[in-house]
Amino acid sequence: MRAQVLTMAESGKRKRVSDAEDGDSVQQNQKPKLLVNRDLLGVKTELTPAFSLSAFRVEKVLKESAREKILFLHGKVSGDSGDKKDAVMILEKTPLQVDQISNLLSEKSELKLQICNDIYSTYTLYPPPELSEIKTTIVYPATEKHIQKYQSQDVYLVQETGEDYRNITLPFLQTQSFSIQWVYNILEKKAEADRIIYENSDPTNGFILIPDFKWDQKQKDDLYLIAICQRHGLKSLRDLTAEQLPLLRNILQEGQEAILKRYGLSGNKLRVYVHYQPSYYHLHVHFTALGFDAAGTAVERAHLLSDVIANLELDPLYYQKRTLTYALRTDAPLLKKFLDAGKC
C-alpha cells in the first residue's frame, strides 16, 4: 500500500508577504521553465511528519461512497510518548490500468465464482499485491475542523450577493486562523518541488502547475492538476478584477500547453475551472480531463476559467457585483453567519 502524507488546512488568511521577502522571486522577463516530474513518494523531507499504520486506530467511519470507491476514517495515532493525536485517513481504490491487463489476467490472479446463470457469470477476482494498491491520503495531526470536513452531512444552497460577501463572508474569513503554509511550501519549493510540472516564476502573473494529490499519475483518464498562483493576497474568485486578466490568461494558455507537452492532452480535452467557495483561500485553478467526473465540478461550485476571463473582459468588477450561489455543509460556521443575518 502506498501512502501519501499530507498535512493540510482547508481555508484561512495569511498577511501578504512583500516582494522583499520573496528571495527566490524571478524578474518578469525571465522565461518560464518546464520542470521534470518525478514521483515524490518515498522521498523523505523535513516537512513530512512521521506516520505508521501500526500506530493508527480507527475511531469512526466519517463517510463512504460506493460510487467513488472511497472511504474516510477518523483515527488516533499513538506517539512515542504515549500521547494520542487525531488523524484522518482517506482510502481510495485506484483506477484499473490498461497496460497492466496482461498481469491482471494471469495465473498470478485468483478467480472465484460467485453466481452462474446460463451464459452469465459473476466472479470475484483477487489480483496480486502489486496490482491491489489503495491510494491512501493522511491528514496528520488532524484538527477537529479536518474531521468535520470529511464527515458526511447535509448541504444547503447559499446565494451570496456582492454586498453579502463584503458584509458577511469577508469579515468571517478575516477572523479565521487556518494556515495554508503547505501552499507556501510549494511556492517556495520547500515541499513537492520534484512534482512540479511547469512553473512561471513571475511574482505577479506567474503560477506553479502541480498534480493534485487525488491523481496517482498512472493514467490520463482521471488527469487532475492544480495551478497555484505565485501572487499572495488573492483569496478567491471574489478578488478577481481586470487587473488579474494577464495572470488568468497565463494560467489558461501556459497550463494547457504544459499539459499537452507532458501528457498529450490538448486544451479542448481539458476542463479548467475555479471553485467558489474554494477549499483553501489562495487563488488556484483546477485542470482535469474532460471525460473525468471529478468531485467539485457541479454547477454550484465550478466556474470555467474561460468564462471567468470573458466576464472580466466585459466588466472589470464582475465578481465584486455578481450573486454567486454555492453549497455549504450543515456544520459550516459561514452558514450560521448567513442564517443569523436572515439571508438563507
Side-chain angles (χ1 to χ4, degrees), residues 198-256:
Y198 178 85
E199 178 181 12
N200 179 331
S201 299
D202 185 283
T204 301
N205 297 321
F207 65 97
I208 279 178
L209 185 66
I210 193 167
D212 189 276
F213 265 91
K214 292 184 283 293
W215 183 39
D216 62 11
Q217 303 181 61
K218 291 188 175 182
Q219 57 284 310
K220 294 184 291 186
D221 291 348
D222 58 342
L223 177 141
Y224 200 144
L225 296 101
I226 299 290
I228 303 174
C229 72
Q230 299 276 10
R231 179 177 172 180
H232 294 186
L234 294 174
K235 296 183 293 298
S236 73
L237 198 62
R238 285 293 192 189
D239 290 328
L240 297 179
T241 66
E243 180 188 350
Q244 283 78 52
L245 280 172
L247 166 64
L248 301 179
R249 290 171 182 145
N250 283 351
I251 292 176
L252 182 61
Q253 179 180 343
E254 296 174 19
Q256 289 177 335

Side-chain angles (χ1 to χ4, degrees), residues 252-268:
L252 182 61
Q253 179 180 343
E254 296 174 19
Q256 289 177 335
E257 291 174 352
I259 290 174
L260 176 61
K261 182 174 182 178
R262 178 67 175 83
Y263 302 107
L265 284 181
S266 58
N268 58 6

Side-chain angles (χ1 to χ4, degrees), residues 101-137:
I101 288 179
S102 59
N103 292 328
L104 185 66
L105 305 180
S106 69
E107 67 278 358
K108 295 180 180 179
S109 299
E110 182 181 359
L111 202 62
K112 287 189 176 181
L113 179 65
Q114 301 297 321
I115 301 172
C116 182
N117 185 348
D118 192 31
I119 64 172
Y120 302 101
S121 302
T122 300
Y123 294 82
T124 299
L125 189 148
Y126 298 91
E130 62 269 21
L131 298 180
S132 305
E133 69 177 26
I134 296 175
K135 179 184 173 185
T136 304
T137 302

